Amino acid sequence: MHPISVARRVMEKTPHVMLTGEGALMFALSEGFPKENLLTETARLAWEEWKKKAEYKPKINVERHDTIGMVAIDSKNRIAGACTTSGMAFKMHGRVGDSPVIGAGMFVDNEVGGAASTGLGEMVLRTLGSFLVVEEMRRGAHPQKAVEKAVKRIVHKYPEQAKENQVGFIAVDKKGRHGAYGIQTGFNYVLYQRGENKIFEAGSLFQ
Ligand code: ASP
């Protein structure tokens, strides 16, 4: 239920950056996390329906997405990030998306800022999108310009896939400035500041 909390334990309690598969499960259980079934009835029924034809057309919804990427900055300007996803629907067993890959789905460099992505993970993995955003900020770009640059890079490299798919980035820099941008419209993000949540629709390359 709480993969970010498990990931945090990996960071704090082991000398490693990532644990996967059975080893990750063993670690989580040994840390006292309960094993829970996350499959909802709605998702189970959708899967049963899909099995009737079982066409291999894994899809990520273009509008809202289910990946939650977060970048936070505290009063001492320390930056932290986290990312959690259920990933692409009806994908092959073993498919790895962008979200767990540091530098792709999320990247934080405490000297510069942090970024996180959502959307078709393959496009983000191939461009190491979140790392690109942070490197743009390192070179002085405002977070908004940095996320726009990463989206444009993806569209330039994968014009066909970009026509029908979404990728969105959020970013925060060391000065507390932020940015958000997507390939397609409909990418919402939330800004939490001074005890208040505000929802915005990010700008997009395609209208
Ligand atoms: N980025 C995720 C993946 O490719 C999916 C998503 O953002 O909805 O697995």
Side-chain angles (χ1 to χ4, degrees), residues 58-79:
K59 207 91 189 109
I60 291 182
N61 59 327
V62 171
E63 328 76 34
R64 309 236 176 268
H65 298 278
D66 57 5
T67 297
I68 310 291
M70 285 160 284
V71 184
I73 182 164
D74 71 6
S75 56
K76 295 191 179 111
N77 290 42
R78 292 178 303 191
I79 294 177

Side-chain angles (χ1 to χ4, degrees), residues 59-61 64-68 83-89 91 95-100 105 117-125 166:
K59 207 91 189 109
I60 291 182
N61 59 327
R64 309 236 176 268
H65 298 278
D66 57 5
T67 297
I68 310 291
C83 181
T84 178
T85 189
S86 67
M88 187 182 246
K91 59 193 172 255
R95 179 259 184 188
V96 178
D98 56 327
S99 306
S117 72
T118 183
L120 186 63
E122 278 71 7
M123 289 198 284
V124 182
L125 277 165
Q166 174 71 301

Side-chain angles (χ1 to χ4, degrees), residues 101-109 112-117 123-158 167 169-172 181:
V101 177
I102 296 165
M106 197 198 68
F107 192 69
V108 174
D109 181 327
V112 179
S117 72
M123 289 198 284
V124 182
L125 277 165
R126 288 184 181 121
T127 49
L128 220 52
S130 293
F131 182 70
L132 176 60
V133 172
V134 172
E135 289 306 291
E136 283 298 312
M137 294 194 293
R138 191 192 306 279
R139 287 194 280 268
H142 185 285
Q144 185 57 36
K145 288 278 170 256
V147 288
E148 287 173 15
K149 182 106 184 204
V151 165
K152 284 175 189 159
R153 169 84 57 93
I154 287 173
V155 175
H156 172 73
K157 292 262 174 208
Y158 306 102
V167 167
F169 291 99
I170 54 161
V172 174
Y181 200 63

